[in-house]
Amino acid sequence: MTSILFAITLLLGVTLCYVAVCAASPFGNCRKCHGWGFEMKTDRKGRMKRGKDCRRCKATGKRIRVGRWLYNRWARIYGAGTAD
């Protein structure tokens, strides 16, 4: 019984921490370009150089977090449903 109670408490704690992160910082780094906004390439000598702009984040280097996206979607639907 105590292991189930511990698991529920742990899951609730992780969820609340993620909600706090989404509220404090709704944008995270892009997973494809790692927040740079472009991909890094190497020239023929092996030196790093700037590549093309990232298409996933449109060269901003940021993406919206899943929890914030879900909250925005819920707020939009709720607002449309309760509007006069």
Side-chain angles (χ1 to χ4, degrees), residues 30-32 53-59 62-63:
C30 176
R31 291 188 193 107
K32 186 173 182 180
D53 288 343
C54 180
R55 290 175 18 189
R56 180 181 284 179
C57 65
K58 299 182 178 95
K62 296 292 178 186
R63 63 169 177 86

Side-chain angles (χ1 to χ4, degrees), residues 13-55:
V14 169
T15 303
L16 290 176
C17 287
Y18 184 68
V19 167
V21 167
C22 287
S25 177
F27 296 98
N29 288 336
C30 176
R31 291 188 193 107
K32 186 173 182 180
C33 65
H34 306 289
W36 287 53
F38 52 87
E39 62 178 328
M40 294 297 290
K41 288 192 169 190
T42 56
D43 60 3
R44 288 194 274 176
K45 293 184 180 179
R47 292 180 295 201
M48 298 299 287
K49 68 176 196 170
R50 187 181 197 278
K52 294 181 180 179
D53 288 343
C54 180
R55 290 175 18 189

